Amino acid sequence: MGMAELSREAGELRRVVESIRRGTFGEADASRLYREGEDAVKFVLLTLAAAAVSPHAPSSATPVFEKPAPEKKPAGPRGAKPGHA
């Protein structure tokens, strides 16, 4: 396999990863990826897994409904402080 073929294959796999991220990945794309072989499938899955846990994403990249609820602080005593009427 020559360098040109490796480069073409890597570009194709990156396009597959991007189509999955955009939500345009279809059944025909999945079949084509499967025919590329085990190494291609591993590459795509590992690339997506790495992107899913990326620490570089800003907090606004995660939807609010997917974020954990903030911890609630215990309520302090109510009313005026002793000696301050």
Side-chain angles (χ1 to χ4, degrees):
M1 191 178 272
M3 289 300 290
E5 281 186 53
L6 287 175
S7 177
R8 182 200 58 81
E9 188 173 312
E12 178 64 29
L13 291 177
R14 282 190 179 81
R15 282 191 289 281
V16 167
V17 170
E18 287 305 313
S19 71
I20 291 171
R21 287 181 180 159
R22 286 191 307 269
T24 60
F25 188 76
E27 190 173 333
D29 299 318
S31 296
R32 187 171 45 247
L33 177 62
Y34 179 77
R35 284 191 301 273
E36 287 290 327
E38 182 179 353
D39 289 337
V41 173
K42 284 182 185 178
F43 173 80
V44 169
L45 291 175
L46 291 172
T47 302
L48 291 173
V53 295
S54 173
H56 303 293
S59 68
S60 62
T62 305
V64 174
F65 55 87
E66 288 185 3
K67 294 182 183 181
E71 294 183 23
K72 294 189 176 193
K73 297 178 188 176
R78 293 178 181 227
K81 300 195 184 325
H84 295 232

